[in-house]
Amino acid sequence: MSEEIDVRLEQEVAEFYQSLGIHQGPGDIQYRLILKVLSKNEGKITEFSEIREYTDKFADKGSIGSKMKTVFQLEGLAEKVKRGGYIITDKGITASNFLKDTTNFYKKNKRIGEIIERMP
């Protein structure tokens, strides 16, 4: 699963879910990007610097490190395997698949909205 991460799309999707009142998980751009990077490297170690390539635009190093400890490790979505190195767990893969579903829902919702706007 070595697809490129579309940061702009992830931001749009996060904002859509925030507009629905969902500010954690699907509505959290940091969460979305971290999980995308971890799942992109499934079966390999993900370096913290790889995560920061995507998250630096949205957050400082400290908040991402904190999120790795308090959300990803604590909830069992990722395991720390060395200093600055993480691997995604089966639970993390499940969460990643859920994010894919939320993205697909957003795209479908946006497409339907565009069709409705063009209706006379």
Side-chain angles (χ1 to χ4, degrees):
M1 180 180 160
S2 65
E3 64 198 39
E4 192 53 39
I5 298 169
D6 184 345
V7 176
R8 182 172 295 161
L9 174 64
E10 294 305 323
Q11 179 67 33
E12 285 179 29
V13 176
E15 289 171 358
F16 170 74
Y17 283 96
Q18 288 171 13
S19 75
L20 299 175
I22 301 169
H23 297 279
Q24 303 297 321
D28 180 353
I29 185 63
Q30 295 174 16
Y31 177 89
R32 295 187 72 84
L33 291 174
I34 293 168
L35 201 51
K36 291 277 183 176
V37 175
L38 287 168
S39 65
K40 181 176 134 178
N41 292 331
E42 181 182 354
K44 299 185 291 185
I45 295 174
T46 301
E47 298 294 333
F48 190 66
S49 59
E50 292 176 73
I51 294 169
R52 291 207 42 227
E53 284 177 35
Y54 294 96
T55 60
D56 275 358
K57 182 177 177 183
F58 301 99
D60 64 321
K61 181 180 175 183
S63 68
I64 298 301
S66 175
K67 189 162 292 237
M68 289 303 295
K69 288 181 191 130
T70 60
V71 176
F72 286 85
Q73 288 180 265
L74 194 62
E75 296 299 325
L77 302 175
E79 290 179 7
K80 188 172 188 171
V81 292
K82 65 177 189 143
R83 179 175 161 80
Y86 301 88
I87 56 168
I88 192 165
T89 63
D90 289 342
K91 190 174 179 182
I93 295 297
T94 302
S96 175
N97 290 335
F98 174 70
L99 282 190
K100 284 181 198 166
D101 292 342
T102 65
T103 301
N104 290 336
F105 177 79
Y106 166 76
K107 287 177 180 177
K108 195 178 299 182
N109 188 290
K110 184 177 176 184
R111 209 170 21 250
I112 290 170
E114 290 169 353
I115 290 169
I116 290 172
E117 282 180 18
R118 289 192 302 254
M119 292 177 87

